[in-house]
């Protein structure tokens, strides 16, 4: 006699608790689900709409400064600590978890031009208009102790920026020239210069740590090698670059924030043309900072907004603004890839979510699964017109909206003029210059 026995695994149909939903067995045979794509499209549409409904990126405002916030620095070891410097010479250390200031230092007379933390997180450096470089302890002084810097270096000119090496006790300052300092000495190890103009920003490469990049007011971006004590090469753009930031995942990629409203991502090995031109701002871009994943960066602009750009896209995926936020001077992306901090000249530091519709706090496994499923659906149907329109729609302040419209008309007029000139000229006399090369004046090696 032959007996057939049914074998079932209780995990497939038994609920873990009586509050769980009943598990429904699903046959994935496409022949049995002829309307699967239509159902998934509807789900993707709903997921996209809900994403826009729940997009509330602004978290809180850290106020306490009595003048515009001019620079910020991240703590290399502590996610909850951030430092900020103001235009009245005041430096504040903030606890982001409690969202309050834990320490205030009157560091300089005049502006705090730049600040950076030491790679171990025990101290930080500031430079100001009083021609000094000061090193401060990260911890608060003991009861009865004076709030004094560990070291003070008196320079000959005003320093406009500072950055610390990622592994060694070495830091770089910029102003009239780029100076490389050893922490134990009061005079620079070496001075690097190429040209005669003031340098506004200097940054160490986080991967190839001996490389530096600097921006000067004569429209140059200059790259230096610390081992050779000489400049490597420079690229001259049409307008001045305010600052640059190195990609923390790709050693040779950096992004420059320019006065011509654009950002340029360069590969330092091929400076003849940028890898990507990022165009969306309607005023000068003042600061830029990469996310720790290296896939996106955030930019701060004089047009009172901050934008998040994917590295490989020419347009921003997100724009943040508030009614009270004025010209944004500085911006930082936190090391856990979740938050963005921006400092503006109306004395506030604002905390934003990097992903506008992300739910904060601990997610249940079912919430996580639903979120991943919705994300995949949105990626699958991202090019459908209706979904694309909803996903890209943003409310903008009237001033920015009108300027974008005006610039679009101007760009179109320039393009039409060039086409007409080419049409009515001798063949080959008006060369076709690609958009990426239009903004580069020269590369000097």
């Amino acid at each position: 006699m032959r007996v057939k026995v049914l074998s079932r695994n209780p995990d497939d149909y038994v609920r873990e608790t009586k509050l769980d939903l009943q598990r429904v067995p699903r046959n994935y045979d496409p022949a049995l689900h002829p309307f699967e794509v239509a159902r998934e499209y509807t789900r993707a549409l709903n997921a996209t709409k809900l994403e826009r409904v729940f997009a509330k990126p602004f978290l809180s405002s850290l106020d306490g400064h009595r003048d515009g916030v001019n620079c910020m620095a991240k703590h290399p070891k502590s996610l909850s600590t951030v430092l900020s410097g103001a235009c009245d010479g005041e430096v504040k250390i903030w606890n982001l978890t409690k969202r309050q200031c834990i320490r205030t230092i009157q560091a300089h007379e005049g502006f705090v031009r730049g600040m950076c933390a030491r790679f171990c997180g025990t101290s930080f450096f500031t430079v100001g208009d009083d021609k000094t470089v000061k090193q401060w302890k990260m911890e608060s002084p003991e009861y009865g102790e004076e709030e004094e810097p560990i070291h003070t270096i008196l320079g000959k000119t005003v320093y406009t920026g500072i950055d610390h090496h990622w592994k060694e006790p070495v830091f770089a300052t910029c102003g009239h020239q780029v100076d490389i300092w050893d922490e134990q000495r009061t005079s620079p190890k070496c001075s690097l210069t190429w040209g005669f103009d003031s340098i506004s920003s200097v940054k160490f490469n986080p991967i190839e740590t001996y490389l530096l990049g600097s921006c000067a007011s004569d429209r140059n971006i200059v790259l230096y090698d610390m081992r050779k004590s000489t400049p490597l090469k420079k690229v001259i753009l049409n307008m001045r670059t305010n600052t640059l930031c190195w990609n923390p995942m790709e050693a040779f990629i950096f992004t420059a924030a320019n006065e011509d409203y654009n950002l340029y991502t360069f590969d330092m090995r091929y400076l003849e043309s940028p890898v990507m031109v990022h165009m969306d701002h309607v005023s000068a871009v003042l600061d830029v900072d990469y996310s720790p994943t290296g896939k996106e960066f955030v930019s701060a602009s004089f047009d009172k907004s901050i934008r998040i750009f994917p590295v490989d896209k020419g347009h921003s995926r997100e724009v943040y603004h508030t009614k009270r936020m004025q010209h944004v001077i500085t911006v930082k992306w936190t090391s856990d890839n979740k938050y963005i901090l921006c400092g503006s000249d109306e004395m506030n530091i604002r905390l934003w979510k990097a992903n506008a519709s992300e739910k904060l706090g601990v997610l249940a496994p079912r919430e996580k699964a639903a979120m991943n499923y919705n994300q995949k659906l949105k990626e699958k149907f991202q090019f459908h017109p209706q979904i694309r329109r909803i996903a890209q729609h943003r409310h903008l302040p009237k001033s920015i909206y009108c300027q974008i419209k005006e610039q679009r008309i101007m760009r179109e007029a320039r393009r039409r003029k060039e086409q007409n000139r080419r049409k009515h000229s001798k063949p080959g006399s008006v060369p076709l210059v690609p958009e990426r090369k239009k903004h580069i004046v020269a590369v000097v090696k």
Side-chain angles (χ1 to χ4, degrees):
M1 191 171 90
R2 190 176 292 167
V3 178
K4 280 188 179 178
V5 179
L6 288 175
S7 171
R8 289 193 181 129
N9 184 358
D11 290 345
D12 294 338
Y13 58 89
V14 176
R15 293 183 292 173
E16 286 180 17
T17 68
K18 64 178 182 181
L19 299 173
D20 274 0
L21 295 175
Q22 288 282 5
R23 294 191 178 183
V24 181
R26 172 104 189 264
N27 189 337
Y28 288 96
D29 182 4
L32 298 175
H33 299 279
F35 299 114
E36 185 183 24
V37 174
R39 274 199 300 273
E40 284 189 343
Y41 174 77
T42 308
R43 284 174 190 165
L45 192 64
N46 289 338
T48 310
K49 285 177 180 175
L50 284 172
E51 184 189 39
R52 297 314 311 146
V53 167
F54 291 119
K56 293 184 170 52
F58 181 69
L59 290 173
S60 76
S61 167
L62 311 172
D63 61 341
H65 277 295
R66 292 170 298 179
D67 209 333
V69 181
N70 198 47
C71 55
M72 286 196 294
K74 292 183 283 192
H75 193 290
K77 298 287 172 78
S78 166
L79 285 174
S80 61
T81 308
V82 72
L83 306 101
S84 64
C87 297
D88 58 355
E90 199 173 61
V91 169
K92 283 184 180 285
I93 301 176
W94 303 88
N95 185 324
L96 294 182
T97 319
K98 296 176 183 173
R99 294 179 192 174
Q100 64 186 32
C101 175
I102 52 175
R103 188 171 161 214
T104 304
I105 307 163
Q106 186 59 45
H108 295 276
E109 291 171 23
F111 284 36
V112 180
R113 288 289 173 189
M115 61 196 312
C116 66
R118 199 173 186 272
F119 60 91
C120 60
T122 54
S123 62
F124 65 94
F125 296 82
T126 60
V127 292
D129 277 357
D130 51 5
K131 301 182 184 178
T132 58
V133 182
K134 294 184 181 179
Q135 184 181 2
W136 306 83
K137 276 187 185 171
M138 197 65 81
E139 273 76 43
S140 302
E142 297 293 324
Y143 180 73
E145 266 188 3
E146 289 283 321
E147 185 75 87
E148 298 247 324
I150 307 169
H151 299 299
T152 304
I153 299 168
L154 188 60
K156 293 173 185 169
T157 56
V158 173
Y159 297 111
T160 53
I162 186 168
D163 196 33
H164 202 283
H165 195 281
W166 290 76
K167 290 175 183 169
E168 295 170 20
V170 170
F171 63 92
T173 59
C174 63
H176 179 59
Q177 60 194 12
V178 173
D179 292 324
I180 311 290
W181 305 75
D182 192 303
E183 285 181 13
Q184 306 304 319
R185 295 172 61 181
T186 54
S187 57
K189 283 203 304 184
C190 66
S191 296
L192 308 164
T193 184
W194 192 352
F196 300 98
D197 235 311
S198 62
I199 296 159
S200 57
S201 164
V202 64
K203 290 283 167 74
F204 274 101
N205 191 319
I207 303 167
E208 302 289 351
T209 50
Y210 48 82
L211 287 175
L212 294 106
S214 74
C215 311
S217 51
D218 56 356
R219 303 175 298 156
N220 290 345
I221 299 171
V222 188
L223 302 173
Y224 306 96
D225 191 330
M226 206 171 73
R227 299 167 302 180
K228 293 202 300 192
S229 303
T230 54
L232 285 175
K233 48 175 112 170
K234 72 174 171 182
V235 56
I236 306 166
L237 277 71
N238 275 333
M239 289 183 79
R240 192 182 77 191
T241 302
N242 288 314
T243 186
L244 60 85
C245 186
W246 293 93
N247 190 322
M249 288 294 163
E250 294 182 67
F252 301 112
I253 304 290
F254 66 90
T255 297
N258 204 279
E259 283 281 324
D260 66 359
Y261 314 170
N262 298 339
L263 294 112
Y264 301 98
T265 298
F266 284 97
D267 186 327
M268 66 167 282
R269 296 165 293 183
Y270 315 106
L271 290 174
E272 284 72 23
S273 76
V275 178
M276 187 62 67
V277 180
H278 308 274
M279 328 167 69
D280 260 343
H281 282 295
V282 293
S283 195
V285 189
L286 301 179
D287 199 12
V288 60
D289 192 40
Y290 264 93
S291 73
T293 59
K295 291 182 178 175
E296 292 181 320
F297 60 83
V298 61
S299 63
S301 172
F302 200 74
D303 64 12
K304 308 177 187 177
S305 71
I306 61 174
R307 287 181 183 267
I308 301 171
F309 289 87
V311 175
D312 55 350
K313 299 277 193 309
H315 293 282
S316 61
R317 73 158 172 87
E318 201 63 77
V319 54
Y320 294 160
H321 55 87
T322 66
K323 278 186 180 175
R324 294 185 180 187
M325 187 156 78
Q326 294 303 307
H327 313 304
V328 191
I329 311 292
T330 176
V331 72
K332 283 280 178 273
W333 198 310
T334 57
S335 303
D336 60 351
N337 199 31
K338 277 192 178 294
Y339 306 104
I340 287 166
L341 289 147
C342 70
S344 43
D345 63 4
E346 90 302 339
M347 304 178 279
N348 267 355
I349 296 167
R350 288 180 173 80
L351 183 65
W352 309 83
K353 286 193 273 189
N355 186 359
S357 57
E358 184 181 23
K359 186 185 173 189
L360 297 179
V362 181
L363 293 179
R366 265 177 44 209
E367 278 181 312
K368 226 178 249 180
M371 194 180 74
N372 291 339
Y373 177 60
N374 285 341
Q375 188 59 38
K376 285 294 172 194
L377 283 176
K378 283 183 284 190
E379 282 173 22
K380 183 177 176 180
F381 293 96
Q382 63 183 330
F383 297 112
H384 282 244
Q386 194 70 359
I387 288 177
R388 192 176 181 183
R389 184 187 66 78
I390 294 165
Q392 288 184 347
H393 181 76
R394 297 289 181 278
H395 284 289
L396 290 170
K398 193 177 177 183
S399 58
I400 295 179
Y401 182 77
C402 293
Q403 279 176 287
I404 287 173
K405 214 164 153 185
E406 194 179 312
Q407 283 182 13
R408 196 182 296 131
I409 293 165
M410 285 160 68
R411 248 195 322 269
E412 188 57 37
R414 277 198 297 268
R415 192 183 63 82
R416 212 165 44 241
K417 183 178 179 181
E418 196 179 323
Q419 274 184 346
N420 290 341
R421 191 175 283 164
R422 193 172 291 111
K423 200 189 291 177
H424 298 289
S425 299
K426 192 175 158 188
S429 62
V430 181
L432 192 65
V433 183
E435 181 64 39
R436 292 182 188 186
K437 293 201 174 184
K438 280 180 186 172
H439 311 277
I440 308 292
V441 175
V443 177
V444 187
K445 293 182 184 179

